[in-house]
Amino acid sequence: MTVVAALSTGVFVALLVAMCSGGLPALRRTPRPRGPSALVVQLQQAGVTWTPLQVRAVTVVGAVLVAALVWAMTGIPAMALVPGALVLAAPQALLRRRALTRVRSVREAWPDALAMIGGSVRSGRPLSHAVVDVSLDGPVALRGPMAGLAARIQTVGLVPALQAVADTVGDPVTDRVVEVLCLAHAEGGRIVTDVVADLAHSIGAEVQAGEEIDTLSLEGKLNARLVFALPWVVLVVLTARPGPFAEFYSGPGGAIVIGLGAVVSLIGVALVSRLSRIPDEPRVLRPQAAE
């Protein structure tokens, strides 16, 4: 007790001295700057012009329609829960898949684009002209995000125009390329070709490593989805026609079995998705998505 009393006295005296001297630590949390939401970032990366409200509205309507259809086919209200939940999660998964595909195609295009920029600069063309050449005749994956780049360069300059490209793609690799190109534009000289060549080599290595990881994880993801979906497809087929299966699952016991199975299945899918997801590289050069 003596030790506790001594410690309490010491803490009290320290806080009293800090308060009198104006050094009392603030208990308020400093508000962190919030970037765009994760759904906004996914829509941006996927190249979809819908708003988050539109996506959520279509998702809810689709879930209700699918649930009603399954209910009408089987006559069992509990059977409509899992298909409805899947439809609720499907747009998010499709958006993420489309965003990953689009971002990956842009990443794979950057080494060739940087090689094209480096060759143009070595031949004596300014960096701004080399970047415009990429937007017009470069890899197809980059022509969409870089469309109208020449007009933006003439209006606001090279650096803001390139930053607009980075904001359109929403990819950390593109952020890095844009920052390096802006630095090369500011420094000029022979550093441009050296920096562009090193960047193209590093991005090419990253793309190759990402492809190997995706190939190794593809089989596990397909097996997990098949294991989840197959029992429910079989159950819908069995209960779609009159018989003992439809009679059992129409009763309270069947509803309990369906509910427990749905909970276990959804937890399993969530765990598999979480464990198999490759962490996204943070956009340290741009605002982060708010969770």
Side-chain angles (χ1 to χ4, degrees), residues 45-70:
Q45 291 179 340
V48 178
T49 58
W50 285 19
T51 65
L53 180 60
Q54 291 174 328
V55 173
R56 294 188 179 98
V58 171
T59 300
V60 172
V61 172
V64 171
L65 291 177
V66 170
L69 178 62
V70 174

Side-chain angles (χ1 to χ4, degrees), residues 8 23-24 43 48-49 58 66 96 106 109 124 126 130 158 163 178 180 186 194 199 201 215 218 229 269 282 291:
S8 301
L24 189 66
L43 290 171
V48 178
T49 58
V58 171
V66 170
R96 179 175 175 80
V106 171
L158 178 62
Q163 291 175 347
V178 166
V180 169
D194 296 337
L199 184 60
H201 182 267
T215 301
L218 179 61
V269 168
E291 297 296 338

Side-chain angles (χ1 to χ4, degrees), residues 76-103:
I76 303 174
M79 284 295 298
L81 296 178
V82 174
L86 288 178
V87 173
L88 283 176
Q92 193 81 3
L94 292 175
L95 276 177
R96 179 175 175 80
R97 187 63 185 173
R98 179 181 173 88
L100 289 176
T101 302
R102 185 169 178 261
V103 168

